[in-house]
């Protein structure tokens, strides 16, 4: 799990929580055949590409795409390579793009998916399938999200966010005063050329990585389940978010790595159980409602009291 459990803090607050990445920190995670992220991303790009791949009018995404490709090749040369201008390969997938044309002998459904995408979106498609992370481009010149390749959103629609200011993107978030107040500083910080990361988390009853509002049902916790049964059906959903600088453009690529694990397996110690208990207990009613946890919080707290290790 890419998540750092120290991000679970009390009292719970919606806040930026940025920290500077060390020089040797990796920002991307290669997909391999059979990985859940690859399966779910492929299903989205094959059936609903317009819900994942969106851009503001006339936005040139090429510098950002090249930044992602260069980052991937530098971190994971066995998983991604930029062999020459216009040539990109993802050896784990068995597919390459040569001047925009898919070439390879990997899984046929991957090649068919890439071939079906409009040519300007094929590199985004290859990068999306090669890595577990989703991507969005933040433009520091106006603070707007100009481009997204997001297959695994957490209860939001990429097509509704494109072109919006960073503050507008976070406007629906509950108890967002601290986050919104820091928006302008945050935009300047993450588009200033350094690398940053932050973590977010929630507890959900849905095991899927993809939570597009058009393709997933709202949270519905079973009222009949006791705390033990509820915890057995619950999942710990996390995101590691990082920012890749796009050199000489005042832009940053926002990466989102979604993980979903059974709640009982995600808690590895009594200390972590106590951290989660304290954070859930301190959530305001508006945050509980926003995260769909109102009907489950008390039973989750009771379970954490009784089964602190969940193993």
């Amino acid at each position: 799990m890419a998540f750092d459990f120290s991000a679970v803090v009390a009292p719970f607050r919606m806040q930026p929580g940025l920290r500077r990445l060390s020089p040797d920190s990796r920002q991307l995670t290669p997909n391999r055949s059979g990985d859940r992220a690859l399966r779910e991303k492929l299903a989205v790009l094959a059936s609903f590409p317009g819900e994942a791949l969106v851009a503001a009018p006339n936005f040139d995404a090429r510098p950002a795409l090249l930044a992602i490709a260069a980052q991937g090749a530098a971190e994971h040369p066995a998983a991604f390579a930029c062999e020459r201008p216009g040539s990109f390969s993802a050896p784990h997938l068995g597919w390459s793009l040569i001047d925009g044309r898919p070439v390879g002998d990997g899984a046929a459904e991957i090649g068919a998916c890439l071939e079906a995408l409009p040519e300007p979106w094929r590199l985004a498609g290859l990068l999306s399938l090669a890595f577990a992370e989703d991507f969005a481009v933040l433009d520091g010149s106006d603070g707007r999200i100009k481009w997204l390749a997001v297959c695994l959103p957490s209860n939001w629609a990429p097509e509704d966010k494109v072109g919006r200011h960073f503050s507008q993107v976070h406007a629906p978030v509950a108890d967002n005063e601290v986050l919104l107040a820091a928006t302008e500083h945050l935009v300047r910080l993450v588009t200033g050329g350094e690398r940053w990361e932050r973590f977010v988390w929630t507890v959900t009853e849905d095991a899927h990585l993809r939570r597009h509002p058009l393709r997933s049902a709202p949270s519905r916790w079973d009222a009949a389940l006791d705390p033990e049964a509820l915890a057995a059906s619950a999942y710990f959903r996390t995101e590691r978010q990082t920012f890749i600088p796009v050199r000489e453009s005042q832009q940053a690529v926002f990466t989102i790595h979604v993980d979903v694990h059974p709640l009982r397996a995600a808690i590895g110690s009594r200390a972590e159980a106590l951290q989660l208990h304290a954070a859930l207990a301190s959530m305001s009613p508006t945050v509980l409602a926003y995260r769909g946890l109102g009907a489950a919080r008390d039973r989750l707290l009771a379970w954490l009291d009784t089964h602190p290790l969940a193993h």
Side-chain angles (χ1 to χ4, degrees):
M1 186 165 62
F3 183 72
D4 183 345
F5 214 92
S6 68
V8 179
V9 296
F12 181 88
R13 295 289 184 269
M14 296 289 196
Q15 54 191 352
L18 281 178
R19 64 189 188 189
R20 187 178 281 105
L21 282 169
S22 62
D24 59 345
S25 293
R26 294 180 174 182
Q27 294 179 262
L28 300 176
T29 310
N31 277 328
R32 291 183 177 272
S33 177
D35 283 354
R36 179 171 52 166
L38 175 58
R39 292 197 310 271
E40 292 201 31
K41 284 187 167 196
L42 183 58
V44 170
L45 292 178
S47 299
F48 311 106
E51 295 176 6
L53 307 176
V54 291
N58 303 316
F59 178 71
D60 180 11
R62 187 74 176 176
L65 284 165
L66 293 178
I68 301 168
Q71 190 74 26
E75 291 182 3
H76 306 283
F80 202 84
C82 310
E83 296 165 345
R84 62 173 177 80
S87 177
F88 307 90
S89 66
H92 290 175
L93 304 182
W95 285 95
S96 300
L97 286 178
I98 309 298
D99 297 325
R101 182 172 59 90
V103 176
D105 57 3
E109 58 268 29
I110 293 177
C113 174
L114 294 172
E115 183 70 39
L117 292 176
E119 185 174 330
W121 282 104
R122 286 177 183 165
L123 179 53
L126 183 67
L127 288 164
S128 293
L129 296 175
F131 296 104
E133 284 75 15
D134 280 330
F135 308 106
V137 176
L138 174 62
D139 191 336
S141 67
D142 59 10
R144 295 182 180 274
I145 304 294
K146 296 294 184 65
W147 179 97
L148 300 98
V150 176
C151 299
L152 311 174
S154 296
N155 300 304
W156 55 276
E159 62 269 33
D160 292 341
K161 304 300 184 183
V162 67
R164 295 194 176 190
H165 192 272
F166 205 57
S167 60
Q168 293 177 304
V169 169
H170 290 95
V173 176
D175 288 0
N176 60 6
E177 293 82 3
V178 173
L179 189 60
L180 293 183
T183 294
E184 296 300 330
H185 174 68
L186 180 64
V187 169
R188 289 195 300 271
L189 200 65
V190 301
T191 59
E194 294 188 86
R195 300 188 307 145
W196 302 86
E197 72 176 350
R198 67 188 294 262
F199 297 91
V200 297
W201 62 273
T202 192
V203 181
T204 177
E205 86 296 352
D206 190 341
H208 293 92
L209 297 176
R210 189 195 193 213
R211 291 285 297 167
H212 192 291
L214 292 179
R215 309 294 167 188
S216 55
S219 294
R220 290 191 178 92
W221 296 93
D222 189 340
L225 297 180
D226 62 21
E228 180 70 30
L230 184 80
S233 69
Y235 295 86
F236 194 56
R237 183 183 181 95
T238 65
E239 293 183 10
R240 181 194 183 220
Q241 304 171 355
T242 79
F243 294 86
I244 300 173
V246 182
R247 304 299 178 188
E248 301 178 357
S249 70
Q250 203 180 343
Q251 296 173 3
V253 176
F254 179 42
T255 77
I256 311 167
H257 185 175
V258 176
D259 260 334
V260 179
H261 294 275
L263 178 61
R264 293 188 296 181
I267 301 174
S269 68
R270 176 171 176 78
E272 290 181 353
L274 292 174
Q275 280 177 250
L276 183 57
H277 186 286
L280 286 171
S282 67
M283 284 184 178
S284 70
T286 53
V287 168
L288 291 171
Y290 174 73
R291 298 197 166 201
L293 283 168
R297 195 264 299 268
D298 289 348
R299 284 176 288 168
L300 290 171
L301 294 177
W303 176 78
L304 287 165
D305 279 333
T306 308
H307 299 282
L309 299 185
H311 286 305

